[in-house]
Amino acid sequence: MKYYTNAILLARNAKLGDQMIAKIYCIYGDHKYKKCDWDGAIEQYCETIGYTEPSYVIRRFLDAQRIVNLTTYLDRLHTVDNGEHATKEHTTLLLNCYTKLQKVKELDEFIKQVNQGKGTHFDVDTAIDVLNQAGYNAHALDLARKHNDHERYMEIQLSRPDPDYRDALDYMGSLPLTTVEGLLKRHGKVLVTHLPELTTGMLMNICTGKFQPNSDGNGPVAETKHAPSSSSSSIIRSSPEAFIHLYVDDPASLQMFLEHVVQEVLRQSGRLSPLVANTLLELLLRDWSDTVTKNDANRLARGDRGKDPLLSSTKDPLSDGGPPATQGGDRG
């Protein structure tokens, strides 16, 4: 053992350079590896980061029984020189090691480092994917939120085993209008299904120019605010027809949504598309038809034929009990 440590010391004193010193460390690591001193070997290999190909070390410790040593090396690989020697594949492997070993504390620290901008070479997208697939949804959501990956945040939140629909809606409530539009077009249907009133409230706001992002994303998303007292041309509104498809299974909420939007837009002297007007008219006619049909059914159930004498009379007007003939009879 002393031969290797002495060789390293001599190389440093002779200023042979980091490359040569790393080579000695690698030989020292190989020696310990052959002796089955896994901890000692990985300690020496960690000193070669930046000079020895990581794949050389990783292949030696891919065995499941060496996962702890492999994790140690990968962790160092992501910290030496601000992680510039780590690739997307290395990040994936490290996170898989953390999750298999259930090292939650290390996962928390890893995410903290990424969120603080330390380790700028970390592949955030890869980290989010691996954490989500391993079931660490909260960690994946934290990364997505901190790095403004809004689409990924919504996908994870709405597809996790215990989706938090209100959190997803509140999260959108903190974003700019154009971003919210896109997210609602893609994810609005599931939100309308589970939170019809709150989601419709947000849609009403963005389609009438009343939407204002919450600073923390936790405010009341369905709160109705007064429209700006300015001309219609200066009011920024989303197009309601872009969200009609969200209500394919909920015509009642669609009618409420369109009635509110039409009323507000007309009050603001705005213009409506024929699709919106025709859709609302169709819903109103269908609602009226259903009401008439229901009322008729109720009258029949009560035996009430209405005020029509032909329907309410119990006698046949053409029977013998009809009105008497005139005395003069038929005079031709």
Side-chain angles (χ1 to χ4, degrees), residues 26 48 79 141 157 198 200 229 257 281 294 309:
C26 187
T48 71
T79 56
L141 286 171
Q157 183 61 276
L198 289 176
T200 300
S229 56
F257 165 57
L281 178 60
K294 183 178 180 180

Side-chain angles (χ1 to χ4, degrees), residues 85-313:
H85 306 295
T87 66
K88 180 188 301 185
E89 290 73 20
H90 297 148
T91 302
T92 302
L93 191 55
L94 174 61
L95 292 175
N96 279 325
C97 289
Y98 280 156
T99 56
K100 287 181 180 179
L101 294 173
Q102 298 183 350
K103 289 182 172 290
V104 179
K105 182 179 179 180
E106 285 77 2
L107 272 176
D108 292 339
E109 183 62 27
F110 177 87
I111 293 174
K112 180 181 177 181
Q113 295 290 325
V114 176
N115 289 339
Q116 291 178 349
K118 299 177 181 179
T120 56
H121 296 275
F122 291 158
D123 191 286
V124 177
D125 290 339
T126 300
I128 293 174
D129 286 338
V130 173
L131 290 170
N132 186 45
Q133 292 171 8
Y136 288 82
N137 308 121
H139 293 78
L141 286 171
D142 187 33
L143 271 181
R145 178 192 289 270
K146 294 292 177 57
H147 292 270
N148 296 320
D149 194 338
H150 309 310
E151 181 64 32
R152 196 74 63 85
Y153 187 94
M154 294 295 294
E155 289 177 354
I156 295 172
Q157 183 61 276
L158 297 178
S159 63
R160 62 190 299 186
D162 54 339
D164 189 339
Y165 302 108
R166 180 57 193 260
D167 175 79
L169 206 58
D170 287 343
Y171 180 78
M172 284 195 299
S174 67
L175 304 176
L177 175 61
T178 53
T179 304
V180 175
E181 281 183 330
L183 292 174
L184 280 172
K185 289 176 183 177
R186 292 185 292 275
H187 305 287
K189 190 175 187 304
V190 66
L191 291 173
V192 165
T193 300
H194 294 277
L195 295 175
E197 293 184 6
L198 289 176
T199 307
T200 300
M202 176 178 281
L203 287 166
M204 288 177 178
N205 285 340
I206 70 173
C207 291
T208 57
K210 299 178 181 179
F211 177 79
Q212 295 181 9
N214 301 310
S215 59
D216 57 0
N218 295 315
V221 296
E223 180 182 0
T224 301
K225 302 178 176 64
H226 295 292
S229 56
S230 58
S231 63
S232 173
S233 60
S234 65
I235 299 176
I236 301 177
R237 294 185 291 256
S238 299
S239 301
E241 56 265 31
F243 306 104
I244 290 177
H245 69 282
L246 305 180
Y247 294 94
V248 64
D249 298 321
D250 191 356
S253 294
L254 175 59
Q255 181 175 331
M256 179 177 65
F257 165 57
L258 292 180
E259 283 180 340
H260 178 85
V261 171
V262 168
Q263 181 181 13
E264 286 296 313
V265 172
L266 291 178
R267 187 178 65 82
Q268 298 166 4
S269 301
R271 302 181 63 180
L272 294 168
S273 71
L275 176 60
V276 171
N278 291 338
T279 302
L280 178 57
L281 178 60
E282 180 182 346
L283 290 168
L284 291 172
L285 289 174
R286 185 185 302 174
D287 189 36
W288 174 81
S289 176
D290 291 343
T291 301
V292 170
T293 302
K294 183 178 180 180
N295 290 340
D296 288 345
N298 290 337
R299 283 201 302 270
L300 290 174
R302 295 194 307 266
D304 181 6
R305 299 189 179 186
K307 297 181 179 181
D308 189 336
L310 294 178
L311 297 177
S312 60
S313 174

